[in-house]
Amino acid sequence: MIAIPSNSAIDPQDPDPRDVKPNNFSETHRDATPAPHPSSNVATLAADATHPPQQNGNEERSGPRNAPRANNDPRNDKRQRQNNQPRRDRRDIHGWIVLDKPIGMTSTQSVAIVKRLFQAKRAGHAGTLDPLASGGLPIALGEATKTVPFVMDGRKRYGFMVRWGEERDTDDSEGQVVRTSDVRPTPKSICDLLPQFTGRIDQTPPRYSAIKVQGERAYDLARDGETVELASRQVEIHQLTLKEQLDRDHSVFEAECGKGTYVRALARDMGRILGCYGHICALRRTLVGPFGENVMISLERLEALCNRAASGEGSLADALLPVETALDDIPALAVTRADAARLHRGQAVLLRGRDAPNGSGTVYVTVAGRLLALAEIGNGELIPKRVFNLTGLTASSGRNERV
């Protein structure tokens, strides 16, 4: 389930990270999943397949909405105990953590855990991952939350496995079977179909999605048994490749796509055209904007690093990527300290001299190599739009060069 992308800082309740399943791909029936060919990196996702959690699924599917709460709710006692305990001081921490999210954890829970580990004042994520999925979840801390939209607008890359023969109401393995077929596609028929799903295409989002229908989220309406009819919209698929045909029931793909694309809908629509039906049974995100697998960190490694930092054996700054990492596709513009002072007060700066940039558009502004603001160039002026206050803990010096 793809949940609500958040462009702002969030403060969910902290879960217990020990309840999380290992980071591997899941399949509805382990015995039905064949061993992948060792030559395929993507197909190895199926090797450690486990049964996905069938209870709540994720935050969109958890229990009835607006259920009455009894007066003896034990959570009231927990809150009372928490209120009586001294609250840990939150800190100003600025930068990015790209969590290699494990299966079974929601994106909201992931942010809560990272926020608690760093004792950060503000945190948010750039692009929700389903609980069924693993892979890159960029988490913004502090002033990095101001750059979240730039990451969400970037390309995403996914490796995913489709189970043929069944269509499910959620378009993934957590849903109920709604259609079946004995037909199975051949690798040639799949490859012949892929050009239809490349470029700008019309796609109808899954019924269990975060699209709003008359003010209600579609997944809430679907969960309550209401019929949800969603309008199709244009999305862009930059690349869609069949990586391996594991057996007659399972195919492994890689997709690179733009904002708003539902991989679950890809599996559903391919299955319908091929006449065999299909749904996603494994999904891993390997790229989000500028963040690839080379900068992902597992929850276990992150916890170990935070424990070492707490004992004085390291620094939390070593785990952070600089705020400006999210702005890789935006030109940088260095200014003098005098101009920086004006921008910091929200005042425009005149651009003059032969080194003044031409044209218009968004730039990120630096002073003495330090990020200062996001600004717009227009009519010979530099107009600040978002000013950064990086007082507190930031990424270690040279962290960008090591990425």
Side-chain angles (χ1 to χ4, degrees), residues 106-375:
T106 69
S107 297
T108 300
Q109 289 171 335
S110 302
V111 173
I113 292 171
V114 171
K115 184 178 180 183
R116 186 183 65 199
L117 287 173
F118 282 80
Q119 299 177 42
K121 289 182 178 179
R122 289 185 296 157
H125 65 74
T128 304
L129 264 183
D130 295 354
L132 174 71
S134 67
L137 179 67
I139 297 175
L141 300 176
E143 293 290 88
T145 57
K146 296 177 180 179
T147 66
V148 162
F150 295 94
V151 177
M152 294 186 65
D153 288 342
R155 291 191 181 193
K156 284 84 174 174
R157 186 183 302 125
Y158 298 89
F160 62 100
M161 183 162 60
V162 177
R163 165 69 160 88
W164 305 115
E166 293 180 349
E167 183 172 315
R168 302 200 175 203
D169 56 2
T170 59
D171 299 322
D172 61 28
S173 59
E174 293 183 333
Q176 300 296 316
V177 177
V178 293
R179 294 184 181 92
T180 62
S181 173
D182 293 329
V183 175
R184 294 296 181 269
T186 65
K188 184 180 185 306
S189 65
I190 295 173
C191 291
D192 289 344
L193 175 66
L194 297 185
Q196 296 185 38
F197 289 90
T198 305
R200 295 199 65 83
I201 65 170
D202 289 327
Q203 184 184 78
T204 302
R207 292 194 305 121
Y208 284 82
S209 66
I211 304 297
K212 280 193 173 182
V213 180
Q214 297 180 345
E216 294 278 349
R217 297 291 180 184
Y219 51 67
D220 283 331
L221 298 173
R223 189 183 63 203
D224 289 347
E226 298 185 32
T227 301
V228 180
E229 297 293 339
L230 298 177
S232 65
R233 58 183 183 174
Q234 276 209 333
V235 298
E236 188 166 9
I237 312 295
H238 303 286
Q239 184 177 344
L240 180 60
T241 307
L242 174 64
K243 303 298 290 186
E244 188 165 3
Q245 184 77 18
L246 297 180
D247 61 15
R248 67 189 301 268
D249 291 330
H250 300 86
S251 300
V252 176
F253 296 86
E254 184 176 77
E256 189 169 317
C257 52
K259 181 180 180 181
T261 304
Y262 285 90
V263 180
R264 287 180 290 135
L266 279 178
R268 176 201 66 204
D269 294 343
M270 286 192 295
R272 288 178 180 178
I273 293 176
L274 290 168
C276 60
Y277 303 121
H279 66 270
I280 291 286
C281 62
L283 178 64
R284 178 171 176 79
R285 187 159 66 188
T286 58
L287 177 73
V288 190
F291 301 118
E293 287 189 292
N294 61 315
V295 295
M296 293 182 195
I297 184 169
S298 68
L299 183 59
E300 292 77 12
R301 282 185 57 205
L302 190 60
E303 288 176 327
L305 187 149
C306 291
N307 290 335
R308 289 197 302 271
S311 63
E313 297 178 6
S315 171
L316 291 177
D318 294 335
L320 293 172
L321 293 170
V323 173
E324 58 267 32
T325 309
L327 308 175
D328 276 357
D329 293 334
I330 300 174
L333 177 64
V335 299
T336 65
R337 293 188 184 277
D339 286 343
R342 290 183 58 84
L343 292 169
H344 196 268
R345 294 192 296 267
Q347 299 172 331
V349 170
L350 288 175
L351 298 172
R352 30 176 118 76
R354 62 182 181 182
D355 294 329
N358 297 320
S360 61
T362 302
V363 296
Y364 75 86
V365 183
T366 64
V367 55
R370 187 175 178 85
L371 179 64
L372 173 68
L374 284 166

Side-chain angles (χ1 to χ4, degrees), residues 19 21 51-59 61-63 104 174:
D19 294 336
K21 291 194 173 185
H51 194 290
Q54 293 297 322
Q55 57 271 24
N56 294 336
N58 63 10
E59 62 268 45
R61 300 181 194 164
S62 55
E174 293 183 333

